[in-house]
């Protein structure tokens, strides 16, 4: 009898754990999980690189609604789009969670992309992370790491999307003023210095559209689709 009770308890715990994992997956909260598509011959390879905004954190039905997946759907069979986003990651190498320390960053390089959509800087704004000179140097180094690939990709530096206040504070210890006054100008400056294109139209579009965000920071499913549509248009216009 005791054995049966233990078995039932174990089964119940495993069932609960499974349900929790499914819920986390559904809302894009398992950012260590990176299913990758293998490019077919002659496909144009697009690497979407960044933090939780790229990964699709807080998006309902993450598998279908993260912006890289939607971008791949919009661009069609001639493109292979992969999601190299990772929650909380920064451009600054001595910050709390640098992207360059992660396996997914190396995977993005090994992918040998033809196009790179780079969106970093939001998490760099945190008080314990922000260092303008370090950001400029390290962000530039990331761009250079892609430009030096034998695939010679076209790199787009995306100016971080807006963050909206929740009460008196911005969520996740992000600093709205630092993003607006220092991060965004730094992204544009680095892009201009290195000679890659930067995208700021998304920030302008989202500026007064809090309803397109799940929590004031991460685009919801509708916002993600808008994001993907804008990026798709930019890519198509550059071909």
């Amino acid at each position: 009898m005791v054995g049966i009770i233990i078995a039932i308890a174990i089964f119940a715990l495993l069932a609960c754990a499974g349900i929790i994992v499914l819920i986390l997956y559904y809302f894009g909260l398992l950012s260590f999980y990176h299913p990758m598509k293998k490019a077919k011959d002659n496909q144009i390879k697009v690497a979407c690189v960044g933090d939780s905004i790229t990964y699709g954190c807080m998006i309902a039905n993450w598998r279908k609604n993260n912006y890289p997946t939607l971008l791949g759907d919009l661009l069609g069979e001639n493109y292979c789009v992969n999601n190299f986003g990772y929650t909380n990651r920064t451009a600054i190498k001595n910050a709390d969670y640098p992207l360059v320390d992660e396996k997914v960053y190396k995977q993005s390089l090994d992918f040998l992309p033809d196009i790179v959509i780079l969106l970093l800087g939001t998490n760099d704004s945190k008080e314990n992370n922000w260092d303008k000179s370090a950001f400029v140097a390290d962000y530039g180094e990331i761009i250079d790491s892609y430009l030096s690939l034998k695939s010679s990709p076209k790199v787009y530096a995306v100016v971080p999307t807006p963050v909206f206040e929740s009460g008196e504070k911005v969520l996740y210890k992000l600093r709205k003023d630092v993003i607006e006054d220092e991060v965004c100008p730094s992204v544009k400056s680095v892009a201009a210095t290195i000679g890659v294109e930067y995208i700021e139209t998304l920030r302008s579009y989202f500026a007064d559209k809090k309803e397109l965000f799940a929590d004031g920071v991460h685009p919801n499913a509708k916002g993600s689709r808008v994001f993907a549509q804008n990026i798709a248009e930019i890519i198509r216009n550059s071909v």
Side-chain angles (χ1 to χ4, degrees):
M1 188 66 174
V2 173
I4 294 175
I5 293 173
I6 293 174
I8 293 174
I10 292 174
F11 177 80
L13 286 172
L14 291 175
C16 288
I19 291 171
I20 290 171
V21 169
L22 288 174
I23 291 172
L24 293 175
Y25 174 78
Y26 182 81
F27 286 103
L29 298 173
L30 299 179
S31 61
F32 56 82
Y33 176 66
H34 284 88
M36 297 293 173
K37 297 178 182 177
K38 186 175 181 180
K40 300 175 184 178
D41 291 343
N42 301 318
Q43 278 189 316
I44 298 171
K45 294 184 285 186
V46 182
C48 300
V49 182
D51 50 35
S52 56
I53 295 170
T54 295
Y55 186 76
C57 181
M58 302 302 295
I59 291 178
N61 200 351
W62 168 84
R63 184 176 67 85
K64 291 185 177 181
N65 290 326
N66 68 83
Y67 104 73
T69 293
L70 294 173
L71 178 62
D73 293 342
L74 290 168
L75 292 175
E77 290 298 319
N78 291 331
Y79 292 81
C80 177
V81 182
N82 273 324
N83 186 340
F84 297 98
Y86 202 136
T87 298
N88 285 333
R89 268 51 196 178
T90 66
I92 297 175
K93 290 189 289 187
N94 66 350
D96 49 6
Y97 299 110
L99 179 67
V100 296
D101 288 350
E102 303 300 335
K103 178 182 178 181
V104 70
Y105 170 67
K106 184 179 186 304
Q107 288 175 321
S108 73
L109 297 171
D110 293 341
F111 184 52
L112 294 176
D114 301 295
I115 297 171
V116 177
I117 309 298
L118 180 64
L119 174 53
L120 286 170
T122 301
N123 294 301
D124 294 87
S125 73
K126 297 175 184 178
E127 187 172 359
N128 58 305
N129 287 337
W130 182 244
D131 179 325
K132 184 176 180 178
S133 60
F135 179 81
V136 167
D138 295 343
Y139 188 82
E141 191 173 307
I142 290 173
I143 292 176
D144 286 336
S145 72
Y146 291 109
L147 293 177
S148 65
L149 294 173
K150 64 180 181 181
S151 58
S152 301
K154 187 177 184 70
V155 177
Y156 293 92
V158 183
V159 175
T161 49
V163 296
F164 295 90
E165 295 180 347
S166 177
E168 296 181 355
K169 296 181 180 180
V170 177
L171 296 174
Y172 312 115
K173 298 183 179 180
L174 304 175
R175 293 194 291 171
K176 184 176 180 180
D177 58 331
V178 172
I179 293 172
E180 293 177 350
D181 300 336
E182 299 192 61
V183 176
C184 291
S186 294
V187 169
K188 294 197 291 185
S189 175
V190 172
T193 298
I194 295 177
V196 300
E197 293 188 42
Y198 63 89
I199 300 173
E200 60 179 347
T201 52
L202 284 162
R203 182 173 180 82
S204 301
Y205 182 87
F206 283 125
D208 59 351
K209 294 180 175 63
K210 187 176 180 180
E211 69 275 9
L212 294 179
F213 288 76
D215 57 359
V217 175
H218 302 95
N220 57 27
K222 289 183 180 179
S224 183
R225 179 164 292 279
V226 169
F227 200 111
Q229 289 169 339
N230 276 267
I231 297 296
E233 183 177 357
I234 289 169
I235 289 175
R236 291 194 192 103
N237 290 339
S238 68
V239 175

